[in-house]
Amino acid sequence: MVRPREFDEQQALSAAMQVFWEKGYEATSISDLTTRMGIQRPSLYAAFGGKKELFETVLHKYTQISLTYIENLLSRAPSAREAVRIYLQGIIEGGGGRQTNLGCLCINTMVELAPHDQSFAHLTKDYQLRITELLRQTIEDGIRKGELASGLNAVAIARALTVSAVGLAVTMKSAPEHAYVENAVTELLTLLV
Amino acid sequence: MVRPREFDEQQALSAAMQVFWEKGYEATSISDLTTRMGIQRPSLYAAFGGKKELFETVLHKYTQISLTYIENLLSRAPSAREAVRIYLQGIIEGGGGRQTNLGCLCINTMVELAPHDQSFAHLTKDYQLRITELLRQTIEDGIRKGELASGLNAVAIARALTVSAVGLAVTMKSAPEHAYVENAVTELLTLLV
DNA sequence: ATGGTTACATACCGATGAGTACAGAAAGTT
DNA sequence: AACTTTCTGTACTCATCGGTATGTAACCAT
């Protein structure tokens, strides 16, 4: 009813996302966050609860954005194979607000926090399953349209590609040779033949 | 010349490896280390330099052990395809001292530290390249022996499989369904057909 | 304009972080 | 047995951690 927030919550969340993305959860301090979010300490606690709660909110926002982005990417592609190629290529080149060598926030979280926190294990696993589901639909559409061989096991391929996409996102963090990852992607696409 | 160390350095390093493996670099404190290594704070600094130096030593030891283990695994398998299958299966089941849901220390490091530290980026990338090289040799041996089709692109397949192996190790950290990863591995093995 | 409420900003809290000084204990050498 | 050297263990430093108390400024309804 009185005195509205002076900062935009979504904008602050985006800033927090950037910081967690760059530094990881443990290495990010509250001071890092308040500086980049442009707000004061007590405001952070009042608006977002605390470091862990803020991170959960940030991660949730990230998965929403990321999955929507991937869904659009896949559905707008001219063919099933192109869809998968564009998706994997995007991981290499960092499309959709990604910075290549920072990988995927959700995958980073899977590595850092999933083994120690059940809720993060569940959240990150769920993210991965949703990607698999999107890929499965893309592949099945391709089969239905006659672009892909009817004998393909859409579920198995979607799972293999998801695992590979995770590996690709992680590999990017070590700044690999361009030819290395391009080559891997090309080979992975033969799963669709 | 006088008073030898009261602790075994290699044993202490193994203990430190365990801790870093479980908690990651940032989340591990010196107290965590000294407790599990069974030594006192100043002994740690005297013997290993400091947290970062200790971690570098630990990571070096880890890559040595891991690569030797993988090399043996691949070379002892009855066939090229079996070799790759056993390797990927090992990631799922946690062979060779691995604990499944902790993933691979070197891959964890790639995620946590590679983007912020050039030396770790190099070290982890090198680890990955060595695995690729081992896989390439295995595949080429298979082709030479007639187990695998002569038209296969050994380099590309080795790269794709390495990326997938990385993804698999990461995926394991979120405690996925057994069928999910088994399925993915089976599908990935079709790259060798 | 004013009262009641909420956000902001400074300054602080205890706990813990990495790293070290220093004294006492143990070993090899003579 | 005494001396020198190195390791061990306690206790400390200073910085920073996550989180909070408190006073002040800003807003809205009346």
Side-chain angles (χ1 to χ4, degrees):
Chain A
M1 359 172 146
V2 294
R3 191 172 182 187
R5 291 245 156 77
E6 288 186 4
F7 61 92
D8 181 277
E9 290 201 17
Q10 291 307 312
Q11 207 168 329
L13 277 180
S14 295
M17 189 187 295
Q18 271 298 320
V19 184
F20 281 127
W21 205 343
E22 288 168 15
K23 310 189 68 166
Y25 178 77
E26 288 289 347
T28 298
S29 72
I30 301 287
S31 298
D32 291 332
L33 289 166
T34 54
T35 301
R36 293 276 291 274
M37 296 166 83
I39 66 177
Q40 299 296 331
R41 254 171 138 69
S43 299
L44 188 153
Y45 284 92
F48 305 107
K51 188 183 179 186
K52 190 180 174 184
E53 290 83 354
L54 172 60
F55 184 70
E56 283 167 351
T57 306
V58 160
L59 190 58
H60 184 256
K61 180 184 166 94
Y62 176 86
T63 57
Q64 299 274 336
I65 293 173
S66 174
L67 288 170
T68 303
Y69 173 76
I70 294 170
E71 188 173 4
N72 285 332
L73 203 82
L74 293 177
S75 65
R76 284 175 187 164
S79 74
R81 182 176 293 112
E82 262 303 283
V84 175
R85 195 191 63 73
I86 290 171
Y87 169 55
L88 295 178
Q89 207 76 32
I91 295 175
I92 293 178
E93 290 161 6
R98 277 193 200 87
Q99 282 114 312
T100 30
N101 70 330
L102 295 182
C104 162
L105 177 59
C106 199
I107 293 171
N108 296 351
T109 304
M110 181 155 26
V111 171
E112 186 180 1
L113 301 178
H116 311 294
D117 190 307
Q118 194 116 29
S119 75
F120 284 122
H122 184 271
L123 225 147
T124 56
K125 186 171 86 174
D126 194 61
Y127 173 76
Q128 201 170 339
L129 288 177
R130 285 177 197 271
I131 291 177
T132 304
E133 184 55 21
L134 292 174
L135 287 171
R136 203 215 75 215
Q137 283 173 13
T138 303
I139 295 166
E140 285 191 346
D141 281 0
I143 295 173
R144 207 172 301 123
K145 289 176 186 165
E147 299 164 15
L148 299 176
S150 62
L152 294 182
N153 183 342
V155 170
I157 296 175
R159 289 174 175 177
L161 286 175
T162 306
V163 167
S164 303
V166 169
L168 205 54
V170 171
T171 298
M172 290 313 296
K173 302 194 77 171
S174 71
E177 310 299 323
H178 210 72
Y180 184 97
V181 283
E182 292 281 352
N183 214 197
V185 165
T186 303
E187 189 61 34
L188 286 169
L189 287 173
T190 67
L191 289 174
L192 293 175
V193 177
Chain B
M1 359 169 143
V2 294
R3 192 172 181 187
R5 291 249 156 75
E6 288 186 3
F7 60 92
D8 182 277
E9 291 201 19
Q10 290 307 313
Q11 206 167 330
L13 277 179
S14 295
M17 189 186 295
Q18 273 297 321
V19 184
F20 282 126
W21 206 342
E22 288 168 15
K23 312 190 68 167
Y25 178 76
E26 288 288 348
T28 298
S29 72
I30 301 288
S31 298
D32 291 332
L33 289 165
T34 53
T35 301
R36 293 276 292 274
M37 295 167 84
I39 66 176
Q40 299 296 331
R41 256 172 138 69
S43 299
L44 188 154
Y45 284 93
F48 304 107
K51 189 184 177 185
K52 189 179 174 185
E53 290 82 353
L54 171 59
F55 184 70
E56 282 168 352
T57 307
V58 159
L59 190 58
H60 185 256
K61 180 183 165 94
Y62 177 86
T63 57
Q64 297 275 337
I65 293 173
S66 174
L67 288 169
T68 304
Y69 173 76
I70 294 170
E71 187 172 7
N72 285 332
L73 203 81
L74 293 177
S75 64
R76 285 176 187 163
S79 74
R81 182 176 293 111
E82 262 305 283
V84 175
R85 196 192 62 74
I86 289 171
Y87 170 55
L88 296 178
Q89 206 76 33
I91 296 174
I92 294 178
E93 290 161 6
R98 278 194 200 87
Q99 282 113 313
T100 31
N101 70 329
L102 295 183
C104 161
L105 177 60
C106 198
I107 293 171
N108 297 349
T109 303
M110 182 157 22
V111 172
E112 187 181 0
L113 302 178
H116 312 293
D117 190 308
Q118 194 117 26
S119 75
F120 284 122
H122 184 271
L123 226 148
T124 57
K125 185 170 86 173
D126 194 61
Y127 173 76
Q128 200 169 339
L129 288 177
R130 284 176 197 272
I131 291 177
T132 304
E133 184 55 22
L134 291 174
L135 286 172
R136 203 215 76 214
Q137 283 173 14
T138 302
I139 295 166
E140 285 191 347
D141 281 1
I143 295 173
R144 207 172 301 123
K145 289 176 185 164
E147 300 164 14
L148 299 177
S150 61
L152 294 182
N153 183 342
V155 170
I157 296 176
R159 290 174 174 178
L161 286 175
T162 306
V163 167
S164 303
V166 169
L168 205 54
V170 171
T171 298
M172 290 313 296
K173 301 194 80 170
S174 70
E177 310 299 324
H178 210 72
Y180 184 97
V181 284
E182 292 281 352
N183 214 197
V185 166
T186 303
E187 189 62 33
L188 286 169
L189 287 173
T190 67
L191 289 174
L192 293 174
V193 177

